[in-house]
Amino acid sequence: MPPIAIDPIQLIGVWHRKADTAPMAAWMRQQIFDILRPLDRIDLRGLAKEANP
């Protein structure tokens, strides 16, 4: 747990338009999105107070 409260961030994926239809690039983007998606459900605000009463 972080020692201080952390506000949420916005992470944006940007790629060249030619990579939209490239199978390998699409696969890699999907892997990254699948790994990061569960982090959307975590609320880190207030955890610092719980970890350090």
Side-chain angles (χ1 to χ4, degrees):
M1 292 297 147
I4 60 171
I6 298 175
D7 290 330
I9 65 165
Q10 183 177 19
L11 184 63
I12 299 171
V14 180
W15 53 89
H16 193 278
R17 115 183 85 182
K18 288 182 181 180
D20 274 347
T21 57
M24 192 175 296
W27 177 85
M28 180 58 74
R29 281 193 305 273
Q30 191 60 54
Q31 299 304 304
I32 293 168
F33 296 154
D34 289 347
I35 289 168
L36 295 177
R37 188 170 292 114
L39 296 178
D40 286 341
R41 294 186 284 261
I42 298 173
D43 185 4
L44 294 177
R45 293 170 295 179
L47 288 180
K49 292 177 188 173
E50 294 172 15
N52 300 314

